[in-house]
Amino acid sequence: MKYYIGVDGGGTKTEFLCLDENLKKLYSITKKTIHVMEVANDKAIMTLKDGLNEILKYINFNKGNDELYICI
């Protein structure tokens, strides 16, 4: 299965959206901002990791069989 994750890191929040290969919406979440003028790099990286890991757990991503494409 192919999965596509889009991440929109705005000034007030960061939105994550996951679609499957048929462009069906599977999961979306909103986290705190990752804007460079608002938070330190380490906090932005942690927010990105948390959001992506939450999605990967939800869709039960299989590294051996599934493909993942991420656009930030």
Side-chain angles (χ1 to χ4, degrees), residues 4-69:
Y4 303 91
I5 299 175
V7 182
D8 177 11
T12 58
K13 64 186 179 295
T14 302
E15 296 186 71
F16 297 77
L17 173 65
C18 181
L19 307 173
D20 68 10
E21 60 193 24
N22 299 310
L23 302 181
K24 177 184 174 191
K25 179 180 173 182
L26 301 176
Y27 196 73
S28 65
I29 52 172
T30 302
K31 300 281 187 182
K32 294 181 180 184
T33 183
I34 59 168
H35 191 280
V36 67
M37 299 298 287
E38 300 291 326
V39 297
N41 287 345
D42 59 333
K43 289 189 179 192
I45 291 168
M46 186 59 69
T47 299
L48 288 169
K49 284 182 179 180
D50 287 347
L52 293 172
N53 283 330
E54 184 174 330
I55 290 172
L56 294 176
K57 285 180 187 174
Y58 179 82
I59 65 173
N60 197 26
F61 182 73
N62 182 329
K63 289 182 184 179
N65 296 320
D66 297 330
E67 294 179 36
L68 178 64
Y69 301 90

